[in-house]
């Protein structure tokens, strides 16, 4: 089976690629990635010379380029993760999110339909986010029946892509599955998302900008649990179905940041409480969703998936990875990163 994984040089994609290359030697894994600021082939050094792995540098916004690759390699199945993925960037440049997340997804589906004659043997798997459902109050959970109500340009672009995938299924018979997952954490995450940004800032003794009052809630899932869910849905998911993936692990941002500060103090041998002193409450993110929480009952009852991770242990493992990979951090935080953050945070 020829499996195309898009966005495989990014955070989640790199773990998905590694898992599929190692677990399924009979599959050939093609990793298609444009290597934007968020893509980094260092994430895949250990598997880059595997015989069942090929990297293809390409941009999903370029329809002709994508069609040519489908014609040449005849991919059987697609796991689509390539995206612009950061809410704060989407607030500053929404169109970039439409171009990659919406147009890019359509380009991939169109290219697949052009070569997939017998639709039964194929699959287009769209990896999406729970943010398409908008914000919860104190009570309740997102389920597969929740209404789409995206609040940020990022989530609106992912919601739009979900709708196009569904429409391609209904209109052209494209075989598809969609999964909508909660916030991931773990190694290889670009230090613009909360956890790796704050790890990096603590290491550099920089302020920790907590948006608003820090009471917003996220449901954190260790990235390898997301990978195991993707594997299960890829192999066992039913055509045209959506599956929600969550960690059953809700924390307010402030609870999470304080926990992270404690772990960092211990790891860096700093006096207790020193990292917490770096917390600075800053102006809230516009359109900031209050709470995300997933009810992953369907994935459990129909496909037998549950998350394995234990949050405290895996947060510590994540911190250990960043401390052991300072050159990875130094590489991705050089150049444009510094300019971006000087403007975004230090002037806040
Ligand atoms: P990421 O930003 O770390 O990686 C995205 C990857 O896509 C990068 O390697 C980048 O180079 C590539 N890419 C971007 N634009 C491209 C283009 N035009 N053509 C080809 N490649 C391009 O993202 P991530 O956090 O790993 O998220 C992966 C997917 O999972 C996204 O679709 C995201 O919406 C979804 N998701 C993420 C989370 C999360 O917590 N990170 C949660 C749920 C769903
Ligand atoms: P983030 O990692 O950007 O993920 P998402 O917005 O997709 O949930 O943010 C997680 C939470 O942390 C979110 O409620 C916003 C908050 N946050 C901060 O308070 N400060 C920061 O510097 C960042 C990046 C996020």
């Amino acid at each position: 089976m020829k499996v195309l994984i898009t966005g495989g040089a990014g955070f989640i994609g790199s773990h998905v690629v590694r898992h599929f290359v190692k677990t399924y030697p009979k599959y050939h894994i093609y990793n298609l990635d444009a290597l934007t600021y968020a893509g980094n082939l260092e994430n895949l050094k250990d598997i880059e010379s595997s015989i069942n792995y090929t990297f293809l540098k390409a941009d999903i916004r370029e329809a002709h380029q994508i069609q040519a690759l489908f014609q040449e390699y005849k991919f059987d199945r697609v796991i689509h993760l390539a995206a612009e993925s950061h809410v704060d960037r989407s607030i500053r440049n929404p169109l970039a999110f439409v171009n990659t997340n919406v147009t890019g997804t359509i380009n991939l589906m169109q290219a697949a339909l052009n070569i997939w004659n017998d639709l039964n043997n194929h699959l287009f798997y769209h990896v999406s986010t729970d943010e398409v459902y908008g914000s919860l109050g104190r009570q309740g959970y997102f389920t597969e029946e929740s209404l789409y109500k995206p609040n940020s340009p990022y989530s609106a672009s992912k919601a739009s892509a979900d709708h196009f995938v569904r429409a391609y299924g209904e209109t052209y018979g494209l075989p598809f599955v969609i999964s909508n997952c909660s916030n991931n954490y773990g190694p290889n995450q670009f230090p613009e998302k909360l956890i790796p940004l704050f790890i990096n800032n603590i290491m550099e003794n920089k302020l920790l900008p907590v948006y608003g009052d820090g009471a917003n809630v996220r449901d954190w899932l260790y990235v390898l649990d997301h990978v195991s869910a993707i594997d299960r849905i890829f192999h066992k998911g039913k055509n045209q179905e959506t599956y929600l993936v969550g960690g059953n692990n809700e924390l307010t941002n402030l609870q999470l940041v304080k926990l992270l500060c404690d772990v960092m103090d211990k790891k860096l041998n700093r006096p207790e409480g020193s990292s917490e002193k770096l917390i600075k409450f800053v102006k809230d993110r516009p359109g900031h969703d209050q709470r995300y929480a997933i009810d992953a009952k369907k994935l459990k009852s129909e496909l037998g998936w549950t998350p394995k991770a234990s949050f405290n242990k895996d947060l510590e493992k994540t911190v250990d990875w960043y401390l052991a990979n300072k050159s990875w951090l130094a590489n991705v935080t050089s150049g444009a990163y510094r300019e971006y953050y000087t403007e975004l945070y230090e002037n806040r």
Side-chain angles (χ1 to χ4, degrees):
M1 193 196 304
K2 296 181 179 183
V3 183
L4 173 68
I5 299 177
T6 71
F11 165 46
I12 301 169
S14 60
H15 292 284
V16 176
V17 165
R18 176 176 300 98
H19 171 79
F20 272 77
V21 166
K22 288 191 160 179
T23 315
Y24 302 107
K26 290 199 175 143
Y27 299 175
H28 196 98
I29 306 303
Y30 295 87
N31 169 16
L32 185 161
D33 199 295
L35 301 181
T36 68
Y37 77 94
N40 184 354
L41 287 177
E42 238 185 293
N43 295 343
L44 291 165
K45 271 243 156 311
D46 55 323
I47 57 110
E48 69 185 2
S49 50
S50 306
I51 50 167
N52 64 334
Y53 172 72
T54 303
F55 175 66
L56 304 168
K57 184 168 189 300
D59 191 325
I60 60 170
R61 293 170 300 183
E62 303 294 332
H64 291 298
Q65 201 181 19
I66 297 305
Q67 282 186 14
L69 290 172
F70 272 78
Q71 294 290 349
E72 184 177 350
Y73 292 100
K74 306 269 187 275
F75 311 119
D76 297 304
R77 290 177 161 229
V78 178
I79 307 176
H80 174 37
L81 296 109
E84 288 292 340
S85 68
H86 189 39
V87 173
D88 291 324
R89 286 184 192 253
S90 81
I91 294 168
R92 294 154 65 87
N93 186 5
L95 209 50
F97 284 67
V98 175
N99 293 338
T100 286
N101 300 358
V102 186
T103 309
T105 302
I106 294 172
N107 287 340
L108 286 164
M109 292 190 292
Q110 204 60 51
L113 281 177
N114 286 348
I115 64 152
W116 289 352
N117 299 320
D118 173 9
L119 288 171
N120 287 328
N121 294 324
H122 302 291
L123 178 70
F124 189 89
Y125 179 174
H126 186 228
V127 177
S128 191
T129 167
D130 63 349
E131 302 187 23
V132 298
Y133 301 116
S135 184
L136 292 164
R138 281 177 197 281
Q139 307 285 326
Y141 297 90
F142 295 136
T143 72
E144 288 77 6
E145 311 306 322
S146 297
L147 294 179
Y148 274 60
K149 211 177 167 195
N151 290 319
S152 74
Y154 163 65
S155 55
S157 71
K158 293 295 289 187
S160 176
D162 285 1
H163 290 322
F164 270 103
V165 173
R166 187 169 304 287
Y168 267 64
E170 290 293 333
T171 307
Y172 308 109
L174 182 82
F176 76 85
V177 286
I178 298 172
S179 59
N180 299 84
C181 185
S182 62
N183 289 63
N184 285 210
Y185 67 99
N188 297 354
Q189 188 170 33
F190 192 82
E192 63 186 354
K193 307 281 165 53
L194 181 71
I195 291 177
L197 174 71
F198 281 25
I199 292 173
N200 189 46
N201 283 10
I202 292 170
M203 281 163 74
E204 294 191 357
N205 265 313
K206 284 191 176 158
L207 291 175
L208 307 176
V210 172
Y211 299 162
D213 59 4
N216 304 67
V217 173
R218 296 293 181 264
D219 172 3
W220 292 95
L221 181 72
Y222 192 55
V223 65
L224 293 183
D225 275 327
H226 191 186
V227 171
S228 77
I230 288 174
D231 181 319
R232 192 67 58 90
I233 293 163
F234 178 82
H235 289 103
K236 304 264 189 235
K238 291 206 191 86
N239 188 21
Q240 305 211 336
E241 292 285 327
T242 286
Y243 298 91
L244 261 56
V245 187
N248 200 13
N249 182 40
E250 291 182 54
L251 289 159
T252 68
N253 290 340
L254 201 54
Q255 281 171 328
L256 169 60
V257 171
K258 286 186 171 169
L259 196 61
L260 185 61
C261 286
D262 287 347
V263 176
M264 290 297 286
D265 285 346
K266 288 196 192 93
K267 297 281 171 187
L268 297 172
N269 291 319
R270 290 181 184 171
E272 215 180 300
S274 18
S275 299
E276 261 194 53
K277 290 194 187 123
L278 297 169
I279 292 176
K280 183 182 177 201
F281 292 95
V282 298
K283 202 168 124 215
D284 209 352
R285 172 191 275 172
H288 195 177
D289 287 332
Q290 187 58 38
R291 175 170 165 255
Y292 304 142
I294 296 265
D295 178 352
K297 210 164 37 224
K298 178 176 173 183
L299 195 51
K300 184 175 180 194
S301 64
E302 293 187 13
L303 305 188
W305 178 88
T306 44
K308 270 211 200 88
S310 105
F311 184 70
N312 286 19
K313 203 173 90 238
D314 289 313
L315 183 67
E316 197 175 325
K317 224 156 64 186
T318 303
V319 167
D320 286 340
W321 184 86
Y322 282 95
L323 293 176
N325 288 276
K326 291 198 177 111
S327 64
W328 184 96
L329 262 180
N331 289 345
V332 301
T333 57
S334 59
Y337 179 91
R338 296 240 171 254
E339 287 160 33
Y340 175 76
Y341 276 100
T342 307
E343 202 188 327
L344 187 67
Y345 293 111
E346 287 172 11
N347 298 333
R348 212 161 173 138

